[in-house]
Amino acid sequence: MIWRMKKDRTKMKTQYFTTPIYYVNAKPHLGHAYTSIAVDTATRFKKMAGVDTYFLTGTDEHGDKIVQAAEKQNTSPKAYADKISRLFQDLLPALNVENNHFIRTTDPSHIKIVEALLSKIYDSGDIYFSSYEGLYCFGCERFYQERELVEGKCPDHGVAPQLIKESNYFFKMGKYQDWLIDHIKTHPGFISPSQYETEILSFLKEPLEDLCISRPKTRLTWGITLPFDKDYVTYVWFDALVNYISALGYPDGDLFKKFWPGTRHFVAKDIIKPHGIYWPIMLKAAGIEIYNGLNVHGFWNVKGSKMSKSIGNVTDPLEIIKEYGVDPFRYFLIREMAFGLDANFTEDILVTRINSDLANDLGNLFSRVLSMTVRYFKGEVQAPHPETETEKNLSLAPEAAKTIEEYKQAMALCEFHKGVGAVWHYIGFMNKYIDTTEPWTLAKDKATLPVLETVLYNLIEGLRVVSCLIYPIMPQTSVKIQKALGIAKKTKEFYSLEEASVWGQVQKGTQIQSPEILFPRIDTKQHEPKTPIPEIKAFTPALKEEITIEDFLKIDLRTGTVMGAEKIEKSNKLLKLRVDLGAETRQIIAGIAKDYSLDDIIGKEVIVVANLKEAMLMGELSQGMILATDSKKRLVLSGFDKPVKPGHPVK
Ligand code: MSP
């Protein structure tokens, strides 16, 4: 295979980061906040790495969804879009997200570029006119193939699509299918993490249908008119995806020339198809360089399900910030979600993280180091004693260097949870260092003064490193710690990674302040579960016959990650799963199709009965079984409360 590596994303000097542009049919929720914070974190990290960055977000304002939402409020689509777009814009400073530009698809400059792009592709012969009859879901604003439906219904909206017949314009996507497969295979990291690349490649195993890119104005007027037929507006995705280049002033804008080659788009797994298939093909057809890559994250589930108005679990980020503060919220989102996998949001987990990671680990370290410096040296930084340091092995520098390296590698690949994990490991290391060196004992004896000075200097330096590394995740806390250490930058908010890495920067004589409380502990009694746990009176069904531990140990349970899923023809119950067990990938047929969509299941970490005899189900080989329970008449898969590696025994 020829490897036509795109520029290595970890080494580019200019980078362009984007969030999806959000629909304005409802106000922003926690899921939208997460993507914006994740992109903000990536951008701030890159700035620390000396990269020139550009960060775009915005709102997607055309299409049926918006018309329907506006109608419900008795207002015009534009007035409605103005109102909701404002909410998305106002959310950004509240999240401390620093975007360079906010685009709206109703901006005249955007509309002009969509028209230009449509004309270009039309003139090149890749758009044709044809009549079409198909099943159309108004919620998704797209036609469905019968095989994509679940029991005849749209998998996302649970309603049967309507059969409509109309003449429309089509984009010859099929023509570019082989090119796209080759592009993905020869550009490692184009779609990341890799399970989503696998998913896109598995979509591409089926022939790619041409894409219907118009809607007749008899049905929808709220869109951009096709430049070559005034009776039609363009399909919302053909309009929306173009935002990424129109915002940079394609084709001649300086921003476009400078930033487009270093583009990384961030999306959740719901929209990988338009981003991983339509968009690269649109770019190819228009003769535009293909973007550098797509970073895909999982869903935040609230109360076990994807947020939705009908379930009533839509979480407002502003309410959480009001209660807990913006930095704890950002920390929680970045730490708790393994990028690429789903995560659960509950206030209880948030409070636990705040109390243990922030108040206990970081907060205590900060307050111990500062108060000891104030107590023993009136807040004045003392120089370390190199000989004592070597002799007693007191240097915190080697562990800091190791932490910075792990952090850099993880953050560069958007494995933010691992990057943060490395910093917290170092914080734990320093807290233990205090416990073992016992500065309070050293302070009692003049003879151990050099040791005390060396210990405190190392701790101050270690805290400086931590303050630098947490900047992308908790910018306010980073600056707060630096101010208290007397090292806040005057010209900008952050230290570069290079500066952060040089040990020994806090100067002797620097004045340190008495510590304020960084993160107040939250009283957990106020957060007791609101619904009482029901009492279980008897087992139903009745317990099976007792077994010994030896019997149990015969069952080889392993952790597995679902890498791919397909429906099985003629069965509305079974899904064909590809499950990574570390040493090998198994095909497992599972009866979960009624309760899990393909999107839901891919990326899930499950428990697999790995030594179950192989069996054929509906003509398909099944090499194991995944564990689930029946709850409220629906199947719920068993899993883990933290990310795990595939193939590990479950005991
Ligand atoms: N308008 C399109 C995107 C066009 S981009 C050219 C759209 N909008 S959306 O409002 O539905 O936003 C979807 C995106 O919002 C997801 O891809 C993700 O970034 C974010 N999220 C929405 N719900 C989410 C969760 N529950 N969890 C995590 N992210 C979520 O699709």
Side-chain angles (χ1 to χ4, degrees):
M1 187 191 290
I2 314 163
W3 290 62
R4 272 159 286 174
M5 286 279 286
K6 279 234 146 200
K7 267 180 252 146
D8 179 349
R9 66 166 147 149
T10 61
K11 301 208 172 78
M12 286 185 297
K13 283 283 148 245
T14 54
Q15 281 216 276
Y16 176 37
F17 292 113
T18 67
T19 71
I21 46 171
Y22 305 112
Y23 285 130
V24 289
N25 58 335
K27 62 181 205 167
H29 60 56
L30 179 123
H32 305 120
Y34 172 74
T35 316
S36 299
I37 289 171
V39 177
D40 190 59
T41 298
T43 311
R44 287 178 191 264
F45 168 75
K46 285 289 170 179
K47 283 185 186 161
M48 286 176 67
V51 175
D52 200 352
T53 59
Y54 196 82
F55 172 2
L56 175 74
T57 184
T59 42
D60 187 357
E61 307 187 3
H62 290 124
D64 272 334
K65 276 192 215 294
I66 318 302
V67 176
Q68 283 164 17
E71 274 168 5
K72 271 193 200 150
Q73 301 250 320
N74 256 334
T75 180
S76 72
K78 180 65 169 75
Y80 188 73
D82 286 347
K83 188 174 123 194
I84 305 283
S85 177
R86 173 63 31 222
L87 298 180
F88 277 97
Q89 290 174 55
D90 290 347
L91 178 64
L92 299 167
L95 300 174
N96 205 358
V97 163
E98 284 184 347
N99 54 312
N100 293 90
H101 184 51
F102 189 97
I103 191 167
R104 301 180 57 186
T105 52
T106 48
D107 290 341
S109 54
H110 168 76
I111 294 172
K112 248 172 71 189
I113 290 168
V114 172
E115 288 166 351
L117 201 82
L118 279 162
S119 297
K120 194 168 182 187
I121 301 179
Y122 184 69
D123 292 344
S124 73
D126 278 343
I127 291 177
Y128 63 93
F129 190 61
S130 167
S131 81
Y132 185 81
E133 185 176 69
L135 295 164
Y136 191 78
C137 171
F138 284 87
C140 302
E141 301 185 33
R142 76 171 183 93
F143 287 99
Y144 268 94
Q145 300 296 309
E146 206 125 7
R147 65 180 151 78
E148 293 177 284
L149 304 174
V150 178
E151 294 181 338
K153 291 181 180 161
C154 159
D156 282 346
H157 294 90
V159 287
Q162 290 178 28
L163 185 70
I164 55 176
K165 183 175 181 185
E166 54 189 33
S167 294
N168 263 314
Y169 286 88
F170 290 84
F171 172 44
K172 292 184 187 167
M173 284 213 308
K175 173 175 160 189
Y176 294 99
Q177 177 158 7
D178 290 342
W179 164 79
L180 181 58
I181 294 172
D182 179 66
H183 184 85
I184 295 172
K185 289 190 174 166
T186 52
H187 294 83
F190 179 59
I191 301 174
S192 164
S194 61
Q195 71 258 32
Y196 294 108
E197 177 181 306
T198 312
E199 193 178 330
I200 287 286
L201 287 172
S202 95
F203 278 136
L204 289 170
K205 281 190 187 137
E206 301 284 332
L208 206 51
E209 302 262 330
D210 289 346
L211 183 70
C212 176
I213 56 134
S214 63
R215 300 291 181 259
K217 282 195 179 167
T218 46
R219 185 149 68 75
L220 176 73
T221 52
W222 183 236
I224 299 176
T225 301
L226 294 184
F228 40 84
D229 192 335
K230 64 177 178 14
D231 293 333
Y232 287 84
V233 293
T234 189
Y235 170 45
V236 65
W237 275 104
F238 215 96
D239 160 1
L241 289 160
V242 178
N243 92 87
Y244 298 133
I245 55 172
S246 67
L248 294 183
Y250 165 82
D252 300 319
D254 288 342
L255 288 175
F256 182 74
K257 288 182 198 145
K258 181 172 176 187
F259 287 106
W260 181 249
T263 302
R264 298 294 304 185
H265 297 306
F266 282 67
V267 297
K269 62 184 186 180
D270 53 341
I271 51 176
I272 55 169
K273 205 167 166 186
H275 283 85
I277 297 181
Y278 307 171
W279 183 223
I281 292 183
M282 284 165 68
L283 291 167
K284 177 76 178 163
I288 303 169
E289 181 179 349
I290 311 307
Y291 62 83
N292 180 274
L294 182 64
N295 298 319
V296 186
H297 62 78
F299 279 140
W300 278 99
N301 293 326
V302 177
K303 296 185 190 145
S305 320
K306 197 180 154 188
M307 273 173 278
S308 102
K309 262 197 202 160
S310 54
I311 301 179
N313 61 350
V314 178
T315 305
D316 182 349
L318 290 173
E319 277 175 20
I320 301 171
I321 290 172
K322 209 163 97 196
E323 174 107 16
Y324 301 102
V326 63
D327 272 8
F329 180 54
R330 288 175 63 111
Y331 172 82
F332 171 80
L333 292 181
I334 294 297
R335 176 80 196 249
E336 192 66 23
M337 175 173 265
F339 197 89
L341 302 176
D342 288 355
N344 272 315
F345 177 82
T346 69
E347 237 171 298
D348 289 346
I349 315 179
L350 171 69
V351 167
T352 306
R353 281 251 177 237
I354 293 176
N355 281 347
S356 77
D357 301 10
L358 298 182
N360 255 6
D361 299 345
L362 177 56
N364 268 349
L365 177 69
F366 173 78
S367 107
R368 290 165 101 185
V369 174
L370 269 70
S371 55
M372 288 192 292
T373 312
V374 169
R375 190 172 321 133
Y376 304 135
F377 302 109
K378 299 201 177 78
E380 198 179 300
V381 176
Q382 305 298 305
H385 299 261
E387 278 157 33
T388 315
E389 190 175 81
T390 317
E391 192 188 306
K392 299 203 174 292
N393 194 18
L394 289 174
S395 177
L396 284 168
E399 192 68 20
K402 204 174 122 214
T403 304
I404 295 172
E405 214 31 60
E406 273 176 41
Y407 166 90
K408 277 204 296 208
Q409 282 186 19
M411 297 293 283
L413 294 173
C414 298
E415 294 178 332
F416 306 126
H417 58 290
K418 283 195 192 157
V420 181
V423 179
W424 254 256
H425 180 81
Y426 189 49
I427 291 172
F429 188 83
M430 283 196 279
N431 272 324
K432 275 198 207 110
Y433 174 94
I434 298 179
D435 297 342
T436 50
T437 54
E438 297 187 3
W440 47 92
T441 313
L442 299 171
K444 285 182 190 149
D445 187 350
K446 267 211 165 139
T448 48
L449 192 63
V451 186
L452 178 65
E453 289 174 345
T454 306
V455 164
L456 276 182
Y457 186 81
N458 271 280
L459 286 166
I460 290 166
E461 267 296 300
L463 198 54
R464 175 189 65 78
V465 171
V466 168
S467 77
C468 296
L469 302 187
I470 61 172
Y471 170 74
I473 303 111
M474 295 194 287
Q476 290 179 352
T477 307
S478 162
V479 172
K480 223 185 221 179
I481 297 178
Q482 287 167 6
K483 277 193 180 146
L485 291 177
I487 56 161
K489 284 226 162 189
K490 291 195 177 63
T491 45
K492 56 178 179 182
E493 263 193 331
F494 61 90
Y495 281 83
S496 71
L497 282 171
E498 217 174 307
E499 290 167 329
S501 313
V502 182
W503 189 259
Q505 284 192 52
V506 182
Q507 300 301 313
K508 172 178 182 308
T510 305
Q511 191 59 40
I512 279 183
Q513 295 170 9
S514 288
E516 57 172 310
I517 293 177
L518 271 191
F519 303 101
R521 276 190 72 79
I522 293 160
D523 180 3
T524 45
K525 281 196 204 101
Q526 287 173 11
H527 292 275
E528 273 168 4
K530 289 176 187 77
T531 36
I533 300 157
E535 202 187 321
I536 299 172
K537 293 194 181 90
F539 284 107
T540 27
L543 278 187
K544 291 181 188 163
E545 190 186 323
E546 188 177 271
I547 59 168
T548 63
I549 184 78
E550 287 74 25
D551 293 333
F552 172 70
L553 289 175
K554 283 187 192 154
I555 306 171
D556 199 334
L557 298 174
R558 299 284 170 141
T559 55
T561 307
V562 180
M563 306 301 290
E566 283 170 49
K567 300 216 165 91
I568 293 187
E569 250 182 72
K570 293 189 218 106
S571 166
N572 55 12
K573 234 180 109 187
L574 297 179
L575 285 186
K576 180 156 79 179
L577 308 178
R578 270 182 309 102
V579 183
D580 180 6
L581 288 190
E584 59 183 83
T585 302
R586 297 274 186 92
Q587 172 167 303
I588 296 180
I589 311 299
I592 55 169
K594 285 191 177 156
D595 302 304
Y596 286 87
S597 72
L598 300 184
D599 275 351
D600 284 334
I601 185 79
I602 291 173
K604 274 232 157 10
E605 286 167 341
V606 289
I607 300 177
V608 177
V609 184
N611 61 338
L612 192 69
K613 200 169 174 199
E614 290 183 351
M616 296 297 285
L617 293 171
M618 296 285 281
E620 299 279 359
L621 178 69
S622 187
Q623 303 167 296
M625 190 164 85
I626 57 175
L627 299 189
T629 185
D630 234 347
S631 170
K632 295 188 185 150
K633 297 202 177 134
R634 75 186 286 276
L635 279 176
V636 180
L637 287 172
S638 66
F640 302 91
D641 66 352
K642 293 201 178 63
V644 292
K645 287 211 171 111
H648 280 244
V650 180
K651 294 182 270 194

